[in-house]
Amino acid sequence: MSCAVMAAHLRCWCDYAWADAIRYGNCALRAYVCRMTLTIPFDNSYIRLPDTFYARQAPVPVRAPRMVAFNDELAQLLRITPGEVEEMTQAFAGNTVPDGAQPLAQLYSGHQFGNYNPQLGDGRAVLLGETVGTDGIRRDIQLKGSGPTPFSRQGDGRAWLGPVLREYVVSEAMHALGIPTTRALAAVETGEIVLREGPMPGAVLTRVAQSHLRVGTFQVFAARGQLDNLRRLTDYAIERHYPQAVGPMGLLRVVRDAQARLIAQWMSVGFIHGVMNTDNCSIAGETIDYGPCAFMDSYHPNTVYSSIDRMGRYAYSNQPEIAVWNLAQLATALIQQVEDKEAAVEEATEIVHAMPELMQAHWLERFRAKIGLVTQEEGDLQMISDLLTRMAQNGADFTNTFRALGTDRARDQFTDPAAFDQWAEGWQARLQREEVPAEVMKAANPAFIPRNHRIEQMIQAAVQGEYAPFHRLNDVFSQPYADQPGAADLMRPPTQDEVVHATFCGT
Ligand code: AMP
Ligand code: MG
């Protein structure tokens, strides 16, 4: 990476020296005059849980790490003081363990595609520790792709560059879209080869999450009948995420609320997670694990991208139902610790059964905004559904159709523009009763989403050592609701040749 590019990603308070380094294009100069030391104010809580919860595991060093990206804005939020490029590179590759870190691999289990797998766990990740950010929120700092752990099973514990860059770009884009998500602090190339479909360049992602507690973290202790651990975990989750919640059923209720809101947000931007296994379902209500995820281009409810989702279990329109299924698994696990099972089952049933309606309410709120409605009327659901049906029948691009509503470009998205015109008649009449539809719509309909073909092109370039597309995507997606005339190419759906038909897990 050039010094200039690095400059955009690494902050240094020796402004004068830094400016020189850029001017002379000489990173060595910066290293000579600028002597900041990487400082991460760790404050670790997970390690104080019983040692059955994790295995202590240091990251395994790599041969020749090279810094690809560092998220300066996120570092500030985490109260991290960046250091020398070389020092940061070694730390975020896992070659050195920063002061205060207590690396560990977390234990969990989970249902994968509906089948219970009794032991999963961090097979290619280590939690370095936690920091409390400037916003008062505690977050995990985790290296992903950092080598084998006791939970690696047959895996090599590594990640290749493609999924690391995909997760970096997409998770940061989700954040900018205003959707709860894990985030990306750094990406480092390892200088080593990992074997996937062929030899691929290895990489490590530094992931930041409000926690890595999953439905599967509860399931593992419930399945093993370790009720003390289950109670400890429940207390920990409540204290860390939902101090207002009381008891296991109180926790179930707030996790339901967070998940219901999250899934409605995914639906509203055409996001398909792709692998909604219970080990990928976050208790904090964040989007986690950007394996085979994708944003839809042309709208169809049955859209599936994941190469391993052959039955379409995690198709776009199935996501709400799967979220309920996952919550039912959490309920089943949580109930184990309650003395009065009958009462708990009754309460849990009520909580889980209320989830679809809750999701529907969030969904309706989001989609009302997408078509410019603030007030609520009986026929709104029907109007939105009608538009979606027509979009599906006419191959309309999900993002561009909504973004173009209110302009004459919306009808161009439809193979039969008359299908849109017919709908728009009723819609225009409905809009008469709204005050500021255009503003509402703009804030609810992003212009920019990380389209799959652009992600694939970005990865192909990076594999060739060309990182300009990666940086550009991060740049443009950081303001997804703004008009950016210079980035019109990133609004364009894929051509026939560019369409990505399948996405692959990050393994
Ligand atoms: P995921 O599909 O990313 O949710 O991962 C499912 C499980 O497989 C988790 O326990 C991962 O830690 C594990 N896993 C995925 N990839 C690897 C790998 N390359 N090496 C070891 N374990 C892995
Ligand atoms: Mg996972």
Side-chain angles (χ1 to χ4, degrees):
M1 188 185 334
S2 73
C3 280
V5 172
M6 187 70 97
H9 293 274
L10 293 180
R11 180 167 33 119
C12 171
W13 288 297
C14 307
D15 282 342
Y16 177 72
W18 200 203
D20 268 0
I22 298 163
R23 196 170 316 132
Y24 299 121
N26 181 354
C27 283
L29 175 63
R30 173 177 181 260
Y32 176 70
V33 288
C34 177
R35 298 223 173 274
M36 297 300 295
T37 299
L38 172 66
T39 315
I40 306 178
F42 283 109
D43 175 17
N44 306 330
S45 65
Y46 206 80
I47 194 125
R48 296 200 296 273
L49 289 166
D51 57 14
T52 32
F53 280 58
Y54 55 82
R56 284 183 188 261
Q57 175 67 56
V60 179
V62 297
R63 197 175 306 132
R66 204 177 71 89
M67 185 72 105
V68 167
F70 183 72
N71 188 337
D72 190 57
E73 173 232 314
L74 180 58
Q76 288 189 41
L77 177 66
L78 301 176
R79 299 182 202 271
I80 291 174
T81 308
E84 307 282 331
V85 177
E86 177 59 20
E87 183 192 15
M88 305 252 286
T89 307
Q90 297 295 339
F92 294 113
N95 284 7
T96 56
V97 175
D99 281 350
Q102 294 168 293
L104 59 87
Q106 294 180 330
L107 169 72
Y108 54 85
S109 66
H111 279 89
Q112 298 178 303
F113 291 91
N115 302 307
Y116 186 65
N117 188 333
Q119 189 177 306
L120 295 165
D122 290 334
R124 53 167 162 173
V126 292
L127 175 67
L128 290 179
E130 302 140 40
T131 68
V132 178
T134 53
D135 56 0
I137 295 177
R138 173 179 296 277
R139 291 184 182 82
D140 283 1
I141 301 179
Q142 188 203 60
L143 299 185
K144 189 172 171 186
S146 52
T149 78
F151 308 116
S152 293
R153 296 173 293 162
Q154 265 73 282
D156 59 4
R158 294 297 181 189
W160 79 273
L161 185 62
V164 165
L165 298 183
R166 168 185 283 268
E167 177 156 347
Y168 196 111
V169 172
V170 182
S171 67
E172 285 302 303
M174 286 290 264
H175 171 71
L177 285 164
I179 300 177
T181 176
T182 64
R183 299 194 60 189
L185 178 64
V188 175
E189 277 190 40
T190 61
E192 294 180 357
I193 293 295
V194 293
L195 288 175
R196 295 296 181 262
E197 300 93 73
M200 302 294 197
V204 177
L205 178 79
T206 305
R207 176 162 74 179
V208 171
Q210 293 210 8
S211 83
H212 286 84
L213 298 180
R214 309 142 190 272
V215 168
T217 321
F218 289 82
Q219 287 182 286
V220 73
F221 297 126
R224 291 177 181 187
Q226 296 177 358
L227 299 189
D228 285 345
N229 286 339
L230 187 60
R231 291 192 180 101
R232 282 294 292 275
L233 180 63
T234 304
D235 291 345
Y236 179 83
I238 290 174
E239 192 185 326
R240 183 161 175 179
H241 296 301
Y242 305 104
Q244 76 280 17
V246 180
M249 292 305 110
L251 178 62
L252 183 65
R253 210 176 279 277
V254 287
V255 173
R256 174 198 65 186
D257 294 351
Q259 283 289 332
R261 196 173 315 112
L262 179 69
I263 305 304
Q265 285 183 279
W266 288 358
M267 302 301 282
S268 76
V269 294
F271 178 74
I272 304 167
H273 182 281
V275 58
M276 289 176 69
N277 294 336
T278 58
D279 57 306
N280 294 334
C281 179
S282 155
I283 295 300
E286 291 182 325
T287 312
I288 186 167
D289 264 13
Y290 291 84
C293 69
F295 283 77
M296 257 191 302
D297 295 301
S298 61
Y299 172 73
H300 198 287
N302 300 342
T303 307
V304 179
Y305 288 101
S306 170
S307 59
I308 55 171
D309 190 4
R310 293 195 190 88
M311 309 292 283
R313 179 181 169 90
Y314 300 136
Y316 172 77
S317 62
N318 278 357
Q319 296 184 123
E321 206 177 313
I322 291 294
V324 179
W325 195 90
N326 286 348
L327 192 78
Q329 307 315 312
L330 178 63
T332 305
L334 284 170
I335 284 170
Q336 309 301 317
Q337 66 193 291
V338 182
E339 294 288 335
D340 184 349
K341 293 268 184 305
E342 209 172 308
V345 168
E346 198 174 315
E347 190 176 356
T349 305
E350 173 262 306
I351 294 169
V352 175
H353 281 186
M355 191 178 187
E357 206 173 310
L358 205 63
M359 251 179 312
Q360 165 95 319
H362 285 297
W363 184 93
L364 201 49
E365 187 186 325
R366 301 260 155 205
F367 276 80
R368 269 203 181 99
K370 288 178 83 67
I371 63 168
L373 309 181
V374 177
T375 61
Q376 302 179 9
E377 287 186 17
E378 189 88 342
D380 294 345
L381 174 60
Q382 180 54 39
M383 178 171 286
I384 296 162
S385 303
D386 185 23
L387 173 61
L388 289 170
T389 303
R390 288 165 192 266
M391 285 167 63
Q393 288 164 348
N394 285 274
D397 184 84
F398 183 83
T399 306
N400 290 352
T401 300
F402 283 105
R403 182 72 177 185
L405 281 183
T407 74
D408 51 12
R409 288 189 314 280
R411 66 193 305 276
D412 300 343
Q413 305 294 324
F414 291 67
T415 43
D416 173 17
F420 175 78
D421 296 340
Q422 284 155 9
W423 176 82
E425 243 174 73
W427 175 57
Q428 289 297 345
R430 172 70 180 85
L431 278 189
Q432 299 302 313
R433 302 188 286 278
E434 291 293 332
E435 273 174 22
V436 283
E439 276 161 52
V440 176
M441 281 193 289
K442 205 156 190 183
N445 294 320
F448 298 96
I449 47 140
R451 292 182 187 268
N452 234 336
H453 65 295
R454 293 302 186 190
I455 298 286
E456 289 302 324
Q457 289 165 2
M458 173 277 288
I459 291 171
Q460 280 171 23
V463 167
Q464 303 300 319
E466 174 53 50
Y467 275 94
F470 169 77
H471 294 298
R472 177 166 184 249
L473 292 190
N474 284 321
D475 217 40
V476 171
F477 297 153
S478 70
Q479 291 190 62
Y481 298 100
D483 289 320
Q484 301 182 55
D489 57 313
L490 297 183
M491 293 179 70
R492 185 175 58 69
T495 59
Q496 285 286 325
D497 292 348
E498 288 172 328
V499 172
V500 176
H501 294 285
T503 53
F504 297 87
C505 271
T507 48

